[in-house]
Amino acid sequence: MNGSDFGGGGGGVANSTGNGTGADAAWPDSNQFELSWWHQLAWTALFVPMIMVATGGNLIVIWIVMTNKRMRNVTNYFLVNLSIADAMVSTLNVSVNFSYMLTSNWSFGTAYCKISQFVAVLSICASVFTLMAISIDRYVSD
């Protein structure tokens, strides 16, 4: 598509001034959503540590509560449920969407596209309902 496809009779004029210096005139075949190498490097420097800390930290919480008998109480089971939901988001959703953001290409297939969105909604619902259950449990126990 070029600039005239959106304007409704713009006559191929790329911008409102009519001097032909719009984005379509300068880069006719470029994808506006492709990131430059330094943008990709900056986003990678932000996302990779975030994904590693989120996944690792939540797995540590799950491991500590499940392996230590003293930690097995109702509140900690709620925290394990929150950790499972967060670990699902960081591994099954954020990492895949990060890859899509970098490449502007979904290479995971149609089925995983639907699964990824389902996991996002499922984990949000699990987190909200678990926080609500923790609040009710704390209110009833006092």
Side-chain angles (χ1 to χ4, degrees):
M1 288 188 147
N2 60 22
S4 63
D5 292 338
F6 293 110
V13 177
N15 62 17
S16 62
T17 61
N19 60 9
T21 60
D24 289 337
W27 298 288
D29 293 331
S30 70
N31 181 356
Q32 66 179 344
F33 299 112
E34 286 182 10
L35 298 175
S36 63
W37 68 269
W38 64 273
H39 275 109
Q40 289 181 357
L41 184 64
W43 281 114
T44 302
L46 291 172
F47 265 83
V48 169
M50 179 184 67
I51 292 169
M52 290 174 57
V53 168
T55 304
N58 285 303
L59 292 177
I60 289 171
V61 168
I62 295 166
W63 177 64
I64 288 172
V65 172
M66 292 298 137
T67 58
N68 192 347
K69 290 194 186 278
R70 288 185 318 140
M71 299 293 288
R72 293 184 191 172
N73 58 38
V74 174
T75 303
N76 286 344
Y77 284 142
F78 285 140
L79 293 177
V80 165
N81 196 31
L82 281 172
S83 292
I84 291 170
D86 194 35
M88 284 176 53
V89 168
S90 64
T91 56
L92 301 175
N93 194 273
V94 173
S95 56
V96 172
N97 286 325
F98 170 65
S99 170
Y100 174 63
M101 180 188 74
L102 283 182
T103 63
S104 296
N105 181 31
W106 184 265
S107 58
F108 303 102
T110 305
Y112 195 73
C113 180
K114 295 176 182 183
I115 291 170
S116 176
Q117 296 308 310
F118 174 74
V119 166
V121 172
L122 176 73
S123 59
I124 289 169
C125 291
S127 295
V128 169
F129 290 137
T130 302
L131 289 171
M132 186 179 69
I134 290 171
S135 300
I136 292 169
D137 179 57
R138 294 290 90 206
Y139 180 76
V140 170
S141 68
D142 287 340

